[in-house]
Amino acid sequence: MGDTVGAVGSSPGPWIGLASACWAANAALGASVGAGLVRTGRFRWIHHALYISTTTTTALAAVLSAGSSSASGRAAGRALAPALLPLAALPHIGTPAQGHPRRHALAALSAAPFYAAALFRARAARAGRPTRPTRSARPT
């Protein structure tokens, strides 16, 4: 059977990259709508669909990273997991349509450092760099 989702112990890097790309696309769309550069009109559901994909891929990447075989992969998951908190708060803090554009934008942007840290750590995991120095073998 094909490895489509990724097994426990596999590299979390692609999933962290996908979650980060979903967040970046959603943030870019939200910012451009907020700045008046794009009008979604009847297609407001696109922003909602991106939000659902962002939250889902972020949760999936964090869970898959927790089962990573490398310490760097697990560190990437620990760095990404806090991004779920502002994502979970977004529907409850008000939306621009409800008169809270700044609050919504600040909450969405507060996830950015977690995505950046996770990408950095996933890159280290992919390069095979340990998060801590390893002990060298005893000289004989």
Side-chain angles (χ1 to χ4, degrees), residues 118-134:
L119 283 169
F120 178 77
R121 292 187 179 200
R123 184 172 179 232
R126 185 173 181 182
R129 292 183 293 228
T131 54
R132 293 183 285 217
T134 57

Side-chain angles (χ1 to χ4, degrees), residues 37-125:
L37 300 173
V38 174
R39 288 178 169 250
T40 53
R42 292 185 344 207
F43 299 102
R44 189 180 303 166
W45 61 268
I46 294 173
H47 189 60
H48 300 152
L50 279 171
Y51 169 76
I52 292 167
S53 66
T54 299
T55 306
T56 303
T57 56
T58 301
L60 181 64
V63 168
L64 289 176
S65 297
S68 177
S69 59
S70 72
S72 296
R74 290 188 301 276
R78 285 192 303 273
L80 182 64
L84 290 166
L85 296 174
L87 291 176
L90 276 172
H92 304 288
I93 61 168
T95 64
Q98 296 169 336
H100 302 290
R102 288 184 102 189
R103 194 180 339 175
H104 190 80
L106 288 174
L109 288 174
S110 69
F114 304 114
Y115 285 103
L119 283 169
F120 178 77
R121 292 187 179 200
R123 184 172 179 232

